[in-house]
Amino acid sequence: MDKRKKTSDGNTASVKKKRLVITLEQKCDVIERHERGHSNSKIGRDVGMPESTVRNIIKHAGEIKEKGKVASTFCGLQTTTRNRSVTMIEMERLLAVWIDDCNKKCIPLSRAAIQTKASSLFKAVKENGNEVDSEETFSASGGWFDRFKNRVHLHHVKITGEIANADENMAANYPDVLKKIIGEGGYTDQPIFNVGGTGLFWKKIPFRTYIFKKEKTQPGFKVSNNHLTIFEQHECGHSNSKTGQAVGMPEPMVQNIIKHTDEIKEKDSVPAFCGLQTTTRNRSVTMIEMERPLAVWIEDCNNKHIPQNKAAMQTNAPTLFKVEKENEVDSEETFTANGSCFDPFKNQTQLHNVKITEKTTTTDEDMAAKYPDVLKKIIEEGGYTDQQIFNVDETGLFWKRMPSRTHISKKENIKPGFKVSRDRLTLLLGGNAEGDFKLKPMLVYWTQNPRALRGYNLQSLPVLWRSNKKAWVTKAVFEDWFSSYFSPAVEKYCKDSNIAFKVLLILDNAPGHPTTLSSLCENIKVIFLPPNATSLLQPMDQGTIATFKAYYLRKIFEQAVVKTIGDDAMSLTDFWENYNIRDAVENIHHAWQQITANNMREVWKCILPHCANSNFEGFPSMKQAVVEEITNIGRKLGFDDLESDNVLELLDSHSEGLTTDDFLHLDQQRAFEDIDNDTEEADNKQMKEFTLKEFEDIFQALEVVKQKIMDADPNVDRRIQIHQDVDKALCTYQRMYEDLKKEKTIESTLLKYFKQE
């Protein structure tokens, strides 16, 4: 029976079995039970042994009885084991790798050659190691060789009596032998084939190049000194069995190696073959914990187009180090953020898309002033109208955050651990210069299946739901949005508007915006705003997004008022605890609907001056009016200390970079919902659907409401009109109810028919 367990990826991994030691006393007990007439299966159950072990003991009963006579007592037996030193273990590991490598290269090996290599490796390991027993000696005897070969399972290694040399006589005679074979078979040159195996250092270049010299000076794993390994074959999509055949290993061994890929790559330092010594620097827990949130902060600033220089990062790093050090046992450790530490840090965190400037970049006002003329020329050459010109931009949103002067915010701040107010999502908002077509918002969250949305069809949400671990718009997410939504949506819009399907999409230089978008659709031309002028030129940043966020907060306060009054009123605290991401999605949709066509058109005046509207009151006054409404509603909710400045502070915080406290707690966001084991179950759950009873309850409740209107409204024409409007609005539900009722009736009829049969 194959005793292997399934891993999470569906593969099997070998399980190391614990060796069962059976004493002589136990063996004699098994023999006595057998002589008394007990069956093998019963003996196995009684003594706790497999039946095959019992059969093996009975098979060798004579030998076991002889040993029992020699022993004075069963309990006096003693087992002696040989403890192999660390030097021996390390030497044999390196020797096994060397033998296997020679075998793959078809290099013949003799017993004497292996014993000589073992002696030299033992000496090298002993000199470079820290073995306590420096007096240990090693003699590569024949007995050691047999035990070594069994230990490392080198079954496929061919050991010759002496190192084989090229047989020149055989080579000289072989053409005549081959000629005879060809003549007998009647072969021509075309059907005669030959293949041969060869190794390839797939990432090695000439040693007199600066790339080779740079790699050679770096400690650790050298890519150019390794064959196409098991890990690389696995990454190329090769099956475990195929990989095992290629490298000459059993499939279970390949599975075990792949399972521990990270550990092996970290520990595997083969330079011990050459007597080299590798020095590694042990980084403390404080350093590791400091660098992780620092990388998050840098990438967050990069996504928000906040220029970063080395000085700013080196200033922030000691602050984080100091915070982390408070919880570290080793209080003597110090840290200086010098220039030599920055390059290794950037390589470790793989911040390839981060642009580091020597000094902080300032806004290029001259370029911003010239850009409208540049854009005008592009529009004239392409023949674009305002309906065909689009812009989108990303923005962060702390979807569950209250103003700082509210008791809810104060209560949350004193609680330890992760703060829900730090839970942020990213939105992609935009539309065209005409203002008559707003794009459906794309929402990027850090999980695909939050609890509040389980059972719901994500495709039916009023937003485009996407996810990645950092809740950011990456290149992959943006390309998917461009191909699956934007291109089809604008094509349909152009067709409905009876205009040509040619579109100009204007983007900023965010890392998540691929430069190859135009190649995905020949009808869409993508251009990028000049660097260092985004804040002055980006249309969506000129008031639309700020006003949207104000509408979002106002909607939350309005909902709080509704929920905290009436017969079924709940406390404000309960309302806020129950407020979830599903509510946020609905409020995002509502706030986006509040942005009018005039609002959307007005923001384009920064790059399209003809879009300016003299009658438009301006976004600052609009935003201030909404802020005043929020403040007044907040006071009705009991936020007596709430001022307009507190609301403005909250609205501005959505665009701020992460604070030290924020990104120190950012990883706790991953544990906020336990989704690791529930994601697959959530995907397999059946989507929520209406039932007949739910439809009937809705219709019954609406009949009560309509009757109250009929009784209360003295205007007959008005109440009849409202009655008709309600029925018209519910006609879709009425059709769904009738279809579901018909479906249930058919199922019931079929069930009765089969019962009768």
Side-chain angles (χ1 to χ4, degrees), residues 500-554:
F501 176 35
K502 58 177 182 179
V503 171
L504 180 65
L505 177 61
I506 302 174
L507 301 173
D508 58 23
N509 290 278
H513 296 166
T515 57
T516 57
L517 289 173
S518 295
S519 62
L520 300 179
C521 181
E522 60 182 8
N523 300 96
I524 302 176
K525 180 180 178 64
V526 181
I527 62 173
F528 293 88
L529 295 170
N532 308 328
T534 300
S535 60
L536 300 176
L537 298 176
Q538 180 83 276
M540 290 299 109
D541 280 347
Q542 306 308 312
T544 298
I545 291 177
T547 306
F548 157 79
K549 292 176 180 178
Y551 287 151
Y552 173 80
L553 182 60
R554 183 180 67 181

Side-chain angles (χ1 to χ4, degrees), residues 267-278:
K267 296 178 181 178
D268 191 15
S269 55
V270 183
F273 282 114
C274 304
L276 299 177
Q277 185 172 0
T278 302

Side-chain angles (χ1 to χ4, degrees), residues 462-586:
V463 298
L464 301 170
W465 185 273
R466 299 292 184 270
S467 66
N468 61 52
K469 291 183 179 180
K470 296 181 179 179
W472 288 335
V473 176
T474 61
K475 289 185 178 180
V477 171
F478 197 88
E479 283 185 355
D480 174 69
W481 168 85
F482 184 89
S483 300
S484 63
Y485 170 72
F486 180 72
S487 181
V490 295
E491 182 179 7
K492 183 178 182 301
Y493 166 75
C494 291
K495 183 178 179 181
D496 294 342
S497 302
N498 197 24
I499 58 177
F501 176 35
K502 58 177 182 179
V503 171
L504 180 65
L505 177 61
I506 302 174
L507 301 173
D508 58 23
N509 290 278
H513 296 166
T515 57
T516 57
L517 289 173
S518 295
S519 62
L520 300 179
C521 181
E522 60 182 8
N523 300 96
I524 302 176
K525 180 180 178 64
V526 181
I527 62 173
F528 293 88
L529 295 170
N532 308 328
T534 300
S535 60
L536 300 176
L537 298 176
Q538 180 83 276
M540 290 299 109
D541 280 347
Q542 306 308 312
T544 298
I545 291 177
T547 306
F548 157 79
K549 292 176 180 178
Y551 287 151
Y552 173 80
L553 182 60
R554 183 180 67 181
K555 182 61 178 177
I556 293 177
F557 274 52
E558 290 173 349
Q559 286 179 333
V561 171
V562 173
K563 293 288 186 180
T564 54
I565 61 174
D567 297 335
D568 299 328
M570 63 173 65
S571 67
L572 184 59
T573 303
D574 290 340
F575 162 77
W576 194 237
E577 288 180 355
N578 293 328
Y579 186 81
N580 55 42
I581 191 67
R582 186 181 72 246
D583 300 320
V585 168
E586 294 174 356

Side-chain angles (χ1 to χ4, degrees), residues 12 124 135 180 244 265 463 507 565 574 602 612 735:
T12 57
E135 302 299 325
K180 184 178 179 181
K265 283 186 176 180
V463 298
L507 301 173
I565 61 174
D574 290 340
E602 182 69 18
R735 285 196 300 270

Side-chain angles (χ1 to χ4, degrees), residues 2-73:
D2 189 10
K3 302 218 172 191
R4 291 181 291 176
K5 65 180 182 180
K6 291 249 182 177
T7 60
S8 59
D9 58 358
N11 293 327
T12 57
S14 58
V15 180
K16 186 176 180 181
K17 296 189 292 185
K18 186 177 180 181
R19 184 172 180 179
L20 180 64
V21 179
I22 304 174
T23 64
L24 184 59
E25 183 179 6
Q26 291 174 317
K27 294 178 181 179
C28 291
D29 182 42
V30 169
I31 296 170
E32 289 176 4
R33 290 172 184 268
H34 177 70
E35 291 174 348
R36 290 200 298 267
H38 295 182
S39 65
N40 294 345
S41 59
K42 186 176 186 308
I43 295 173
R45 289 194 300 270
D46 292 343
V47 300
M49 292 183 190
E51 188 176 347
S52 59
T53 304
V54 173
R55 287 197 301 268
N56 192 45
I57 292 173
I58 295 170
K59 181 179 178 180
H60 301 87
E63 302 174 15
I64 295 171
K65 285 183 178 180
E66 288 296 326
K67 292 180 180 179
K69 292 178 183 178
V70 175
S72 58
T73 61

Side-chain angles (χ1 to χ4, degrees), residues 37 118 214 234-235 256 399 414 480 719:
K214 183 179 180 182
H234 178 69
E235 291 171 358
N256 194 45
W399 62 274
I414 62 175
D480 174 69
R719 69 191 188 190

